[in-house]
Amino acid sequence: MGKDKKRSSFSGQLGFIMAAAGSAVGLGNIWRFPYLAAKDGGGLFILCYLILALTFGFALLTTEIAIGRKTRQSPLTAYARIHPKWGGIGVLACLVPTIILPYYCSIGGWVFKYLSVYVTGQGVAAAEDGYFTSFITAPTEPMVWMLIYFAITSFIIICGVEKGIEKYSKILMPILVVMVIGISLFSLTLSHTDAQGVTRTGLQGLKVYLIPDFTGLTLKQLMIVIMDAMGQLFFSISVAMGIMVAYGSYARKDTNLMTSINQIEIFDTSIALLAGLMIIPAVFCFMGIDGMSAGPGLIFVSLPKVFLAMGGIGRIIGLVFFLIVSFAAVTSSVSVMEAIVSSLMDAFGLSRKKASVLVAIYTLIMGIIVCLGYNKLYFEITLPNGTVAQILDIMDYISNNVLMPLVAFLTCILIGWVVKPKVIIDEVTQGKFKFQRKTLYIIMIKFVAPILLLVLLLQSVGLI
C-alpha cells in the first residue's frame, strides 16, 4: 500500500475534469462522430447517441473511474484488486490502448500535415482529388509527421500527471471549446448556389443534422444506428480502453465523482454535437447530401473542398479547424499513452521515464509499420464484419470492434453480478456525496448494458 500513497494525483476536481474531458474529446468526437451522424441520418443518430450517453455511457464511465480511484491502480492491475480471479480484464483493457496508440499517432500525423498545409497557404492543393491518397501512400512523409506528433505526446507524458497531463489539458481544452463554438456558429451563416442554380444554406444543413427522419425506417436499420451510436460512445467517453481507470486512479479521495462524471458527460457530448455542427452544415451547404457520404475521409477529403469553395475566408477557417483537431487529437493520444505507461509503472515498478521510453520504442516501430501499410506493406483482406481492410483497419477492428465491447461486457458481469454494484456505489458516495441516477446505474450495469454489449460484440465479429 506504500506505493499507492506516493501515487501522483491531479491537483483537484477541475484538473481531473479537464484531463478526463481532454481524453474524451478527441478524434473520436471531431473525426468519427460527424461522419457516423451523416451516415446514419443525422438527427436519428444523435437521438440514439444522446439516450445511450445518458444511460449506457454513464454506467461505464462511472464504473471505470470508480474502479480506478478505489484501487489507486492503472488498468493492468486494477481489476485484480477488485477481484483476484478477474485480473484478466485488466490485461485486455491494457491491450486496447497498446493497439490503438500507434495508429492513432499515424492519424494524428495526418492532422498535423493538413494543419501545416493551411499554415503555409496550400489549401487549394489539399482540395484536389487524390491529394489525401497521394500523401498517405508516400514512402516517408507520413512517418515524419507521425514522429512529430508522437514527440509532442511523449513530452507531455514524461512531464507527469500534474505538470504534464493536467497542465496542458487546462490550456488546450478552453482554447478548443472557444474555437469549436466559433466555427459552429460560422457554419450556420453559410449560403451557396451550385452550378445547377440550387441554393443551400447552413441552416438547412442544421435541419438535416438535428431533425430525426423516420421515413422508411426498418428495425434492422434502427439497430445499425443504435450499434453505431454505442460503438461511438467507446471513442467519445474513452471507456473500455483503460484510460478512465488510469485517470480515476489519479483522482483525489475528496473529489466528488458524480459531479465530475456529470460534467465530463456534458463537456464531451457538447463537443461531439458541436463537431457535427462545425462540419455537417458546411458540407451540406457546398456539396449537398452526397458530400456527407464521404465516410472516414470526411475531414481529409470533403472539408478541404468546402474550405476552397468558401473563398478567402476558407483558408482561415481551414487553419482554425485543423488547429482544433490537432488539439483534440493530442489530448486524447496523451490519455491513450498514459493508460499504457501507468500500467507498466504499477505492474513492474518502473519509473515514469523508463516506462515512457519503452512505450515510445514500441509505438515508433508499430507506427512506422502502420504508415508502410499504405505503400510497401499494402494488402487487403476482408474482415468478419464485411469491410475490406489493411494494417490500420485491422488494428482498429481488433481494438474497437472486438476488445472494447469484450472489456466492457466482462466489466459489467464483474461489477453487476460477481462483486455487485455496491462496490462502485460505496466508492462514489465516499465522503457522503450523493449518487444521482443510482437506480438507473444498477439496472444498466446488471441488465441493459451486458445485453447491448453482447449484441454489439456478436455483430462486430459477423455472427449476427
Side-chain angles (χ1 to χ4, degrees):
M1 294 298 291
K3 280 185 184 179
D4 293 353
K5 290 180 182 177
K6 296 177 184 176
R7 190 174 188 80
S8 299
S9 65
F10 295 117
S11 63
Q13 187 158 317
L14 177 63
F16 169 59
I17 292 169
M18 284 292 102
S23 167
V25 178
L27 288 178
N29 279 32
I30 296 181
W31 173 52
R32 203 167 184 266
F33 185 93
Y35 87 71
L36 281 177
K39 178 179 88 72
D40 290 332
L44 177 61
F45 174 84
I46 289 170
L47 179 62
C48 293
Y49 179 85
L50 289 175
I51 293 170
L52 286 170
L54 295 171
T55 54
F56 172 81
F58 159 74
L60 293 181
L61 186 62
T62 301
T63 300
E64 294 201 1
I65 289 175
I67 286 174
R69 194 178 74 168
K70 179 179 177 61
T71 62
R72 308 297 287 169
Q73 291 288 299
S74 54
L76 186 58
T77 49
Y79 288 89
R81 291 279 185 101
I82 297 293
H83 194 294
K85 293 182 179 179
W86 287 71
I89 301 177
V91 177
L92 294 175
C94 189
L95 192 56
V96 174
T98 303
I99 295 171
I100 288 175
L101 185 60
Y103 77 77
Y104 200 103
C105 288
S106 298
I107 298 171
W110 301 351
V111 175
F112 272 24
K113 161 67 177 177
Y114 272 70
L115 176 61
S116 75
V117 164
Y118 283 91
V119 166
T120 55
Q122 299 175 50
V124 174
E128 293 175 0
D129 292 334
Y131 182 86
F132 177 63
T133 301
S134 64
F135 162 61
I136 63 171
T137 56
T140 56
E141 192 178 8
M143 293 184 205
V144 173
W145 286 111
M146 183 271 293
L147 290 170
I148 294 170
Y149 179 88
F150 183 64
I152 293 172
T153 299
S154 299
F155 171 76
I156 295 173
I157 288 292
I158 290 171
C159 286
V161 176
E162 191 173 335
K163 294 182 180 178
I165 300 168
E166 179 180 341
K167 177 183 175 182
Y168 289 98
S169 293
K170 281 182 176 178
I171 295 170
L172 296 179
M173 292 314 294
I175 297 172
L176 185 147
V177 171
V178 171
M179 291 193 295
V180 167
I181 292 172
I183 295 192
S184 298
L185 293 174
F186 176 78
S187 289
L188 299 180
T189 67
L190 296 171
S191 179
H192 176 69
T193 302
D194 63 19
Q196 286 73 42
V198 177
T199 300
R200 290 182 296 268
T201 67
L203 289 174
Q204 289 173 332
L206 177 65
K207 289 181 181 178
V208 172
Y209 176 48
L210 292 182
I211 299 175
D213 183 5
F214 300 104
T215 306
L217 181 67
T218 64
L219 180 60
K220 183 179 180 180
Q221 288 171 331
L222 178 61
M223 285 304 298
I224 290 172
V225 175
I226 291 172
M227 290 300 113
D228 278 352
M230 191 160 63
Q232 173 60 27
L233 269 172
F234 288 120
F235 269 100
S236 286
I237 59 177
S238 296
V239 292
M241 55 181 83
I243 292 169
M244 288 304 169
V245 175
Y247 278 16
S249 74
Y250 299 136
R252 287 164 44 164
K253 286 293 184 181
D254 59 357
T255 297
N256 185 333
L257 287 190
M258 193 46 54
T259 299
S260 300
I261 289 164
N262 290 340
Q263 290 174 354
I264 293 165
E265 273 188 302
I266 292 168
F267 202 110
D268 165 70
T269 305
S270 299
I271 293 294
L273 293 173
L274 285 168
L277 194 59
M278 276 197 306
I279 294 170
I280 292 177
V283 172
F284 174 82
C285 182
F286 288 95
M287 305 179 74
I289 292 289
D290 292 339
M292 293 166 58
S293 61
L298 190 66
I299 71 170
F300 295 112
V301 179
S302 296
L303 277 180
K305 296 181 186 298
V306 171
F307 298 144
L308 179 64
M310 288 179 182
I313 190 69
R315 297 174 191 169
I316 299 170
I317 299 297
L319 172 61
V320 176
F321 174 80
F322 281 105
L323 191 60
I324 290 171
V325 182
S326 297
F327 282 4
V330 169
T331 56
S332 284
S333 60
V334 162
S335 65
V336 174
M337 186 172 177
E338 178 61 22
I340 312 169
V341 169
S342 63
S343 290
L344 293 178
M345 291 168 65
D346 287 341
F348 304 106
L350 299 178
S351 67
R352 174 168 290 274
K353 188 174 181 180
K354 285 182 180 177
S356 298
V357 169
L358 286 175
V359 174
I361 293 169
Y362 157 79
T363 304
L364 290 175
I365 293 170
M366 289 303 299
I368 289 169
I369 291 172
V370 170
C371 292
L372 291 174
Y374 288 99
N375 46 73
K376 292 183 179 178
L377 299 180
Y378 184 81
F379 62 87
E380 289 185 355
I381 65 167
T382 302
L383 297 173
N385 62 1
T387 58
V388 177
Q390 38 67 46
I391 293 174
L392 187 150
D393 297 320
I394 294 169
M395 295 172 73
D396 181 69
Y397 173 78
I398 293 170
S399 59
N400 301 321
N401 294 62
V402 179
L403 289 178
M404 285 162 67
L406 181 59
V407 168
F409 174 74
L410 293 174
T411 300
C412 288
I413 300 302
L414 171 63
I415 300 301
W417 297 96
V418 180
V419 300
K420 309 298 181 187
K422 189 176 184 298
V423 170
I424 301 301
I425 293 167
D426 287 348
E427 183 62 31
V428 172
T429 55
Q430 191 176 102
K432 297 184 179 179
F433 291 118
K434 290 183 179 180
F435 192 147
Q436 291 124 358
R437 296 182 275 174
K438 182 170 76 172
T439 303
L440 171 66
Y441 174 79
I442 295 170
I443 293 170
M444 290 302 302
I445 206 71
K446 290 190 73 168
F447 305 108
V448 181
I451 293 170
L452 286 174
L453 286 163
L454 186 58
V455 173
L456 178 62
L457 186 57
L458 292 173
Q459 183 195 56
S460 297
V461 297
L463 294 178
I464 58 172

